[in-house]
Amino acid sequence: QELAAAQARQRELYDSAPVPITENDYSRVQARLEKLRRAGVTDLRAHLASHPDEVTSACREVRVADANRAALAAGACATVEELAERRFSMLNGDMRRQFIEEMVAIWERRDTLRIERSYEVAPGRVLTALVNWSARRTARGPDFSQVQLVYTDVTEIRAKERE
């Protein structure tokens, strides 16, 4: 009963957090990158530059396991499935650069990444976010099947800096 109560409390904290949070499974991306490494790729960035379709294909391998209410609202989505599909449709510009950085982090077995990006959340509505990407840490290293992305909206801050 105590465990169930603690889990319910954690779930409520997650869902009510004022910043968008998603939980993602990158294990298929990791497997894809390991296959490239075994095939002799040593410079991932150069490989991705000469094989841009690899980025698109790898992005489709990410599974969005969960998202809090703020993430669904930011993406103007009603469900996690809708948010996951929207991720693929937004794979251009800053989102593409972010995903390449995520792939490089996995390639280098890093468990954290911090990147800023802009993305269109609705026609004509662009947000800039600081994205904190972190894989669950284990004794054997990062677990890329459990990656959390936390988005902090910095749109107004960047606009004031430009002024």
Side-chain angles (χ1 to χ4, degrees), residues 55-90:
V55 177
T56 305
S57 297
C59 187
R60 288 208 170 271
E61 299 286 351
V62 177
R63 298 291 174 244
V64 180
D66 203 0
N68 70 352
R69 289 189 291 257
L72 294 176
C77 298
T79 66
V80 172
E81 294 76 21
E82 188 180 349
L83 185 67
E85 189 55 40
R86 188 131 201 248
R87 174 184 171 95
F88 306 128
S89 69
M90 295 179 357

Side-chain angles (χ1 to χ4, degrees), residues 69-111:
R69 289 189 291 257
L72 294 176
C77 298
T79 66
V80 172
E81 294 76 21
E82 188 180 349
L83 185 67
E85 189 55 40
R86 188 131 201 248
R87 174 184 171 95
F88 306 128
S89 69
M90 295 179 357
L91 189 62
N92 56 35
D94 276 1
M95 177 68 172
R96 186 177 191 82
R97 283 187 290 280
Q98 174 188 335
F99 187 66
I100 290 170
E101 292 306 314
E102 292 171 359
M103 292 176 74
V104 170
I106 294 168
W107 180 267
E108 295 173 351
R109 300 207 37 85
R110 288 186 281 144
D111 56 12

Side-chain angles (χ1 to χ4, degrees), residues 24-149:
N24 304 276
D25 179 352
Y26 285 75
S27 59
R28 291 180 181 179
V29 175
Q30 180 184 18
R32 179 185 283 267
L33 294 175
E34 290 303 322
K35 187 176 178 182
L36 289 175
R37 195 183 302 273
R38 285 191 303 274
V41 173
T42 56
D43 184 340
L44 181 63
R45 286 183 196 280
H47 176 80
L48 296 176
S50 63
H51 298 85
D53 289 346
E54 184 74 38
V55 177
T56 305
S57 297
C59 187
R60 288 208 170 271
E61 299 286 351
V62 177
R63 298 291 174 244
V64 180
D66 203 0
N68 70 352
R69 289 189 291 257
L72 294 176
C77 298
T79 66
V80 172
E81 294 76 21
E82 188 180 349
L83 185 67
E85 189 55 40
R86 188 131 201 248
R87 174 184 171 95
F88 306 128
S89 69
M90 295 179 357
L91 189 62
N92 56 35
D94 276 1
M95 177 68 172
R96 186 177 191 82
R97 283 187 290 280
Q98 174 188 335
F99 187 66
I100 290 170
E101 292 306 314
E102 292 171 359
M103 292 176 74
V104 170
I106 294 168
W107 180 267
E108 295 173 351
R109 300 207 37 85
R110 288 186 281 144
D111 56 12
T112 60
L113 173 66
R114 191 172 180 162
I115 190 167
E116 187 171 307
R117 74 171 175 95
S118 296
Y119 57 103
E120 189 172 41
V121 293
R125 184 167 177 239
V126 177
L127 293 180
T128 301
L130 182 60
V131 182
N132 288 295
W133 181 97
S134 61
R136 185 173 153 272
R137 293 180 180 120
T138 70
R140 293 188 319 265
D143 178 354
F144 297 113
S145 71
Q146 296 181 21
V147 177
Q148 201 171 65
L149 282 78

